[in-house]
Amino acid sequence: MSSSPAPGCLPLSRLNAAAGGSETLPQPQKHELSSGSCRMRSLVIFYLCYLLCLGLGVACVVCVCVWNSRWRGGFAWDRSGLQFNWHPVLMVTGLVVLYGNGAVLYRIPLTWGQNKLPWKLLHAALMLLALILSIVGLSAVFQVHNAGNTPNLYSLHSWIGIAAVALFALQWVVGMAGFLLPWTPTSLRKLLKPAHVWLGGGIMLLSVAACLSGINEKLFFVLRGDTPYSDLPPEAVLANTLGVLIVAFGLVVLKILSSTEWQRPDSRPEDMAYTPLLQEEN
């Protein structure tokens, strides 16, 4: 899925990083115009993808809220079926939408060339909020199951979901300790970086898979009798649309993360390593 720059084009991040270089040979005007055109095209494509990411995220949250408020009876916290409705809302909002937006934060060109401290804090805060919402969403469904003597963790959906949240929690703790604490050795940070990036994309895939399997499982449970799932009633249309939106959101996030031309300049292996939070320079 990784994209490579067109011939004659420098990656967007390299063009930004090269702005402060010293003693470079003058380039032909044609090459400068070509590089500037490539940079502008890369910027436009990135922001189109980012706006699409934001729009799909909002659409996912709206769809899951409408589904559970209109067709599933609304929300409560009383260990009834209405409490269960919090589960899909919180998991889609936290484990998919907030997580995805937190993951692509460093790819926004407006954050480059600035003090990284605020963006580190925002990235950590978004991920922590996403993790908290996911844990509350799991708590909601466990309480409902226990109150109704329903078995827990027997379906593929539950296995994937638990794996995603557990890896997410591990990712956040290791990322906090590895990249933000001042006593973490630089060699350890360099060792953790590829695993941190790879696992981040893996968690996104697991989150999407958990949501899709959960939507399908829920529809098979509730659409029976006079309105079977196979008749595709309006509730099924909306829930299936939610699934399509989640897939589209995940694909856009992974596209942004996998494009090397949209990497932050100091995130490249040959550039500077991460600076711990407490050593950040203004």
Side-chain angles (χ1 to χ4, degrees):
M1 190 181 295
S2 176
S3 63
S4 37
C9 289
L10 291 175
L12 175 59
S13 57
R14 290 195 180 279
L15 288 169
N16 282 14
S22 61
E23 294 189 12
T24 56
L25 295 175
Q27 299 295 322
Q29 186 177 5
K30 183 178 180 181
H31 178 72
E32 291 176 357
L33 292 175
S34 176
S35 298
S37 174
C38 291
R39 179 178 181 275
M40 181 58 65
R41 183 177 62 184
S42 183
L43 274 172
V44 170
I45 295 174
F46 171 82
Y47 280 111
L48 286 176
C49 286
Y50 185 62
L51 289 175
L52 181 60
C53 176
L54 293 176
L56 288 171
V58 171
C60 288
V61 175
V62 170
C63 274
V64 72
C65 289
V66 170
W67 177 25
N68 286 277
S69 61
R70 179 174 178 181
W71 278 283
R72 295 293 101 215
F75 306 94
W77 199 272
D78 54 4
R79 300 177 186 271
S80 69
L82 297 183
Q83 178 174 326
F84 183 93
N85 293 340
W86 282 111
H87 174 67
V89 170
L90 293 175
M91 301 311 281
V92 169
T93 303
L95 199 57
V96 175
V97 176
L98 279 178
Y99 180 89
N101 280 280
V104 303
L105 182 65
Y106 285 137
R107 303 305 173 100
I108 303 174
L110 289 177
T111 69
W112 301 351
Q114 302 180 24
N115 179 13
K116 201 173 181 181
L117 174 58
W119 304 107
K120 282 186 176 183
L121 293 175
L122 182 57
H123 174 75
L126 281 175
M127 291 305 195
L128 180 59
L129 178 59
L131 181 59
I132 291 173
L133 292 181
S134 302
I135 292 173
V136 175
L138 288 179
S139 175
V141 72
F142 274 110
Q143 289 183 12
V144 173
H145 282 181
N146 293 338
N149 293 321
T150 303
N152 291 305
L153 301 178
Y154 65 90
S155 65
L156 180 61
H157 161 66
S158 62
W159 289 11
I160 297 174
I162 285 291
V165 175
L167 289 173
F168 185 11
L170 177 65
Q171 171 91 326
W172 194 90
V173 171
V174 173
M176 187 74 170
F179 300 119
L180 300 181
L181 297 182
W183 50 80
T184 304
T186 302
S187 58
L188 179 60
R189 293 198 302 272
K190 290 181 178 179
L191 183 65
L192 288 175
K193 172 71 187 305
H196 187 76
V197 174
W198 175 81
L199 186 58
I203 293 170
M204 187 76 235
L205 290 174
L206 286 175
S207 302
V208 170
C211 288
L212 295 181
S213 58
I215 291 169
N216 220 25
E217 184 178 289
K218 181 68 175 179
L219 291 176
F220 278 122
F221 280 150
V222 300
L223 295 181
R224 299 176 177 178
D226 295 335
T227 55
Y229 189 9
S230 58
D231 286 352
L232 206 63
E235 179 180 0
V237 173
L238 179 65
N240 285 352
T241 301
L242 171 61
V244 172
L245 290 172
I246 289 172
V247 170
F249 177 84
L251 290 176
V252 173
V253 168
L254 292 175
K255 165 61 179 175
I256 294 175
L257 293 177
S258 64
S259 295
T260 56
E261 59 189 298
W262 296 338
Q263 285 185 2
R264 186 183 176 96
D266 58 4
S267 295
R268 293 177 173 275
E270 64 270 21
D271 295 313
M272 66 183 70
Y274 275 127
T275 302
L277 176 62
L278 299 181
Q279 296 178 2
E280 189 73 43
E281 295 178 357
N282 292 325

